[in-house]
Amino acid sequence: MSTRTRLAAVVAALALMGSAVVGCAGGGTRVTGCSGQTVKIGQSTVGNLQYAALYVAQDKGYFGEGGLKVETLEMGGGSEAIQALAGGSVDVALTTFAAILSAAERGAPLVAFAATADRNTADVGVKNRFAPPGAVDLDTAVRALRGHRVAVTSAGSGADQTLRYLLRHAGMNPDSDVTIVAAGGAAETVAAFANGSVDAYIIGPPASLVAAERGDGRVMLRLASGIAPDLDNLLYGVAATSNATMNRKEPVMRCFAVALNKADAFIHGRPDQAAALLRSRFPEMTDSQFAQSWDPIVKATPATAAINPGEAAKAAQFVSTVLNKSGIDATKAYDGRFSEDLK
């Protein structure tokens, strides 16, 4: 091969590489295929601090740096987000890994590809008249739910699974010791508690604190605070997609994961600035409520958006308890192909 021919081949190879690796940055890796692309995101409920990384990525322009445009849609519950993802009406669902694991167990071709939380961020609230007095331990608080109507976003959602896990942990039967009510999204849960349709709820902040204030209630448990060690250091919140979308839009999913990764770094490195950036998104919260919620959210935000296999395995154990089914394989429900990009 002549020098000129070799040079032409190198130039062609570089051009081909450029089409695959230029466009958005993270961990020293740049990828393309993202510019001008729109990602439709399904959220189980909009206006929840558990999506802090998403909001930071939007407000800091991290998606835009990769050329991505994002469109968020409220699904009204984790199971609805899963259905939308499986049906192709959204590209990405921000939900719990437990929900993805459960869907994968049923044969749904879905995978998590980025982490958004490594501890459970849900709060459990109850009417004041049913709440045990003073500070209580985990099981005492959960047993106070006996005989009451407890709101979750939807059947099979992360909230539903967390409630069932807590009840079983406290020696209770989720199907007979409480009445589980699928209330819908955050606004619907707040309304149901305020009007007395339910006696208790499990949902993340700020809805958890707003509901307590409007419905004469009290937040008994803040799971992100570390009160339930079994629910810490496990893969909780994730960005997930379908296998078909991953194969069709791999560069776009990579850009999305990189943007979340940058947001995680900003939240941990500059938590006060991140809080100030997000404060206006939650006008219904008082400054005190926001402050109460923010520290646990920072603690629940992973250091990196890369999927941690050990934390995924711990989440599989959680789902095994909820479903009373052994042998759930976490590796079938996540795709770690972007891990090197997220260091």
Side-chain angles (χ1 to χ4, degrees):
M1 182 183 293
S2 69
T3 300
R4 178 174 294 180
T5 302
R6 285 196 299 270
L7 179 60
V10 170
V11 170
L14 289 173
L16 182 59
M17 288 173 62
S19 69
V21 300
V22 179
C24 71
T29 300
R30 296 176 65 81
V31 288
T32 106
C34 307
S35 183
Q37 295 287 324
T38 297
V39 177
K40 291 185 178 180
I41 307 167
Q43 295 176 235
S44 60
T45 181
V46 174
N48 191 321
L49 269 174
Q50 77 181 54
Y51 303 124
L54 171 69
Y55 300 145
V56 166
Q58 289 176 310
D59 293 350
K60 290 290 291 181
Y62 295 148
F63 291 122
E65 288 177 8
L68 289 181
K69 300 177 182 178
V70 297
E71 177 184 339
T72 58
L73 305 170
E74 183 172 12
M75 299 285 105
S79 57
E80 284 82 356
I82 296 298
Q83 291 169 11
L85 191 63
S89 57
V90 298
D91 302 306
V92 173
L94 291 187
T95 185
T96 64
F97 186 54
I100 297 298
L101 275 167
S102 297
E105 278 296 298
R106 298 192 299 271
L110 306 177
V111 288
F113 64 92
T116 61
D118 56 11
R119 67 171 62 185
N120 196 306
T121 57
D123 292 341
V124 178
V126 67
K127 293 290 186 182
N128 278 318
R129 64 183 182 274
F130 302 135
V136 292
D137 61 34
L138 178 66
D139 286 351
T140 298
V142 174
R143 290 180 186 125
L145 301 175
R146 190 185 301 274
H148 298 306
R149 300 162 297 174
V150 186
V152 300
T153 52
S154 60
S157 65
D160 181 40
Q161 292 192 356
T162 299
L163 175 62
R164 290 175 181 276
Y165 180 88
L166 292 173
L167 290 167
R168 291 189 188 281
H169 186 276
M172 297 168 64
N173 186 332
D175 297 315
S176 59
D177 286 332
V178 301
T179 300
I180 300 177
V181 179
E188 292 81 4
T189 298
V190 171
F193 190 70
N195 67 28
S197 299
V198 296
D199 309 307
Y201 56 81
I202 179 165
I203 198 167
S208 56
L209 298 174
V210 174
E213 180 181 296
R214 296 182 184 176
D216 188 29
R218 166 187 164 194
V219 173
M220 291 192 300
L221 295 175
R222 313 212 67 191
L223 298 180
S225 69
I227 194 171
D230 288 349
L231 303 183
D232 292 344
N233 300 314
L234 85 169
L235 184 57
Y236 179 65
V238 295
T241 190
S242 66
N243 290 332
T245 299
M246 177 64 83
N247 292 333
R248 189 175 70 254
K249 297 183 176 182
E250 179 178 341
V252 174
M253 296 299 105
R254 180 180 282 110
C255 282
F256 190 91
V258 166
L260 290 181
N261 199 54
K262 290 181 178 180
D264 289 342
F266 184 79
I267 290 170
H268 280 288
R270 301 178 180 177
D272 292 343
Q273 291 184 34
L277 186 70
L278 300 187
R279 180 67 185 92
S280 63
R281 284 181 173 268
F282 302 94
E284 72 277 21
M285 298 180 80
T286 65
D287 288 342
S288 175
Q289 289 173 336
F290 188 89
Q292 291 177 56
S293 302
W294 182 241
D295 183 60
I297 290 297
V298 173
K299 290 178 180 177
T301 300
T304 170
I307 300 291
N308 181 306
E311 292 181 350
K314 188 173 180 180
Q317 294 174 0
F318 165 88
V319 175
S320 294
T321 299
V322 172
L323 300 182
N324 195 25
K325 181 179 181 181
S326 61
I328 294 178
D329 184 0
T331 63
K332 295 180 180 179
Y334 71 85
D335 188 320
R337 72 180 70 181
F338 304 143
S339 295
E340 290 301 313
D341 301 306
L342 305 177
K343 289 183 177 179

